[in-house]
Amino acid sequence: MNAKQLSPGIWHLAANISKDNLFEGLWPIPHGVSLNSYIVEGADIALIDLVREWEDAPKQLETQLKELGLEFNRIKYLILNHLEPDHTGWLANFKKRNPHIEIVTTKKGADLVREFYFIEDNIRVVKTGDKIDLGDGKTLEFYEVPNVHWPETMVTYEPASGTLFSCDAFGSYGSLTEKSCDCELSEKEHEFYEFESLRYYANIVASFSTFVERAIKALSDLEIKTICPSHGIVWTDRPQDIVERYARYASYYKGPCEPEITLIWGSMYDNTAYATDAVRDVLLESGITFHEYRVPEQDISHILAHAWKSQGLILGMPTYEYHMFPPMAHVIDMMGRKHVKGRKVFWYGSFGWSGGAEKELNSLIEQHKLGWDITGKADFRGRPTEEDIEKIKQGVRDFIKTVMESAKK
Ligand code: FEO
């Protein structure tokens, strides 16, 4: 994409990373992701956040700087809101091209600049309330927001324009087109980025939800007219929408969550699949919103997104070698790591010579302190009988009632 002016003296730059990569080396990005940087120009010029040497991201950024007629040596300050390498991986080479640039970051950020990139000079440490006057009416103010998403993180605010450079906070997956502002997107495009922001939140930020709530509260006195995150679209029209959305996502950490169910199941020889048909029928008849995933065919990134917002989880899992079906154990382990806690749960599944799935389920719930309330279960030997199917159907009907009664109103 091209460099884009957001307001007088403020430009958005973005490097798009393709769908063929994994974010954090782990999460699929079927629609890509953007690494956003920003230029703030007063009498002096600041570049906010950098890119990683990932695909051709440095070249994309350099091309956009050239579009603005900016040589590297005209940039006086490099603001590093967050040191994770998706925003700093290019730092050592960037510094070689602009050896006199002043790096601005928090104290913990400065430690990481030294330890990750062996840079010792021209580092300015800032804390909440510190400011840099760029001249010509432009000022940068800094606010520490620890653990959104690493301990060293801060955000940068430009008061004259009301622009918040929020780094990971308020971000999303999804590459950008020239229509990179919320005011330019159709309803369908908003739906796309809404799910990509939920998936990004569940994958990357969810574990730090209490810090997200703290940061939103700490920044609530700022007059914010534009939100510029480091991933995804820029919010110039309705910045409050993404703040409210993130506040809602953060609230799922303690619950209650939405009156929805995520159904996750796996099957070895179609016996658990046969029972899943009955589960799905009841869910469809009830009209409740549900999201269905089969493992291992579907990826954990998307499962976490829907599980994060759902008050109810239904798990269909056969027993495998005296334990749970291994792909389901992986799902539950990841839910533990990402703090998908306090959910209502119903489970069902087939076993052959002995059970074992339930024992491992209870062990994982305990290990990760998930606090799940298992309100019903239905396991069966081999193929489910008609009686088994009826028991499963009734169990799911009762479960739906429990979910609706306990969910966010
Ligand atoms: Fe986009 Fe936590 O880095």
Side-chain angles (χ1 to χ4, degrees), residues 23-24 35 82-87 148-150 152-153 167-168 200 204 230-231:
F23 195 74
E24 290 188 337
L35 307 178
H82 172 34
L83 264 290
E84 190 161 12
D86 50 334
H87 309 294
V148 188
H149 142 236
W150 278 6
E152 86 296 353
T153 313
C167 205
D168 280 355
Y200 172 83
I204 310 297
S230 59
H231 305 289

Side-chain angles (χ1 to χ4, degrees), residues 153-295:
T153 313
M154 66 177 189
V155 297
T156 301
Y157 178 66
E158 201 293 300
S161 59
T163 306
L164 181 72
F165 303 95
S166 60
C167 205
D168 280 355
F170 313 126
S172 81
Y173 292 137
S175 292
L176 295 178
T177 67
E178 296 306 322
K179 293 197 296 178
S180 57
C181 291
D182 64 329
C183 59
E184 300 169 305
L185 301 181
S186 66
E187 201 174 319
K188 198 169 171 196
E189 288 162 333
H190 267 294
E191 278 171 22
F192 165 79
Y193 283 110
E194 181 167 0
F195 182 69
E196 288 292 270
S197 67
L198 171 64
R199 194 164 70 85
Y200 172 83
Y201 188 96
N203 294 177
I204 310 297
V205 188
S207 299
F208 307 98
S209 290
T210 53
F211 294 96
V212 171
E213 287 180 328
R214 218 172 282 168
I216 289 173
K217 193 170 174 204
L219 300 173
S220 62
D221 288 340
L222 298 179
E223 189 188 357
I224 297 172
K225 295 177 184 166
T226 298
I227 290 183
C228 295
S230 59
H231 305 289
I233 61 172
V234 171
W235 296 80
T236 56
D237 191 29
R238 297 178 57 85
Q240 71 275 20
D241 283 5
I242 189 66
V243 176
E244 284 165 13
R245 190 187 297 170
Y246 258 62
R248 196 166 180 92
Y249 294 164
S251 76
Y252 302 149
Y253 186 83
K254 290 180 186 149
C257 304
E258 302 300 328
E260 300 179 13
I261 287 172
T262 298
L263 163 63
I264 310 152
W265 63 279
S267 189
M268 296 162 64
Y269 298 112
D270 286 344
N271 294 321
T272 302
Y274 183 69
T276 301
D277 291 342
V279 171
R280 188 184 308 107
D281 286 347
V282 175
L283 291 170
L284 285 168
E285 278 164 20
S286 74
I288 192 169
T289 299
F290 74 99
H291 318 278
E292 180 178 341
Y293 292 96
R294 180 172 183 168
V295 290

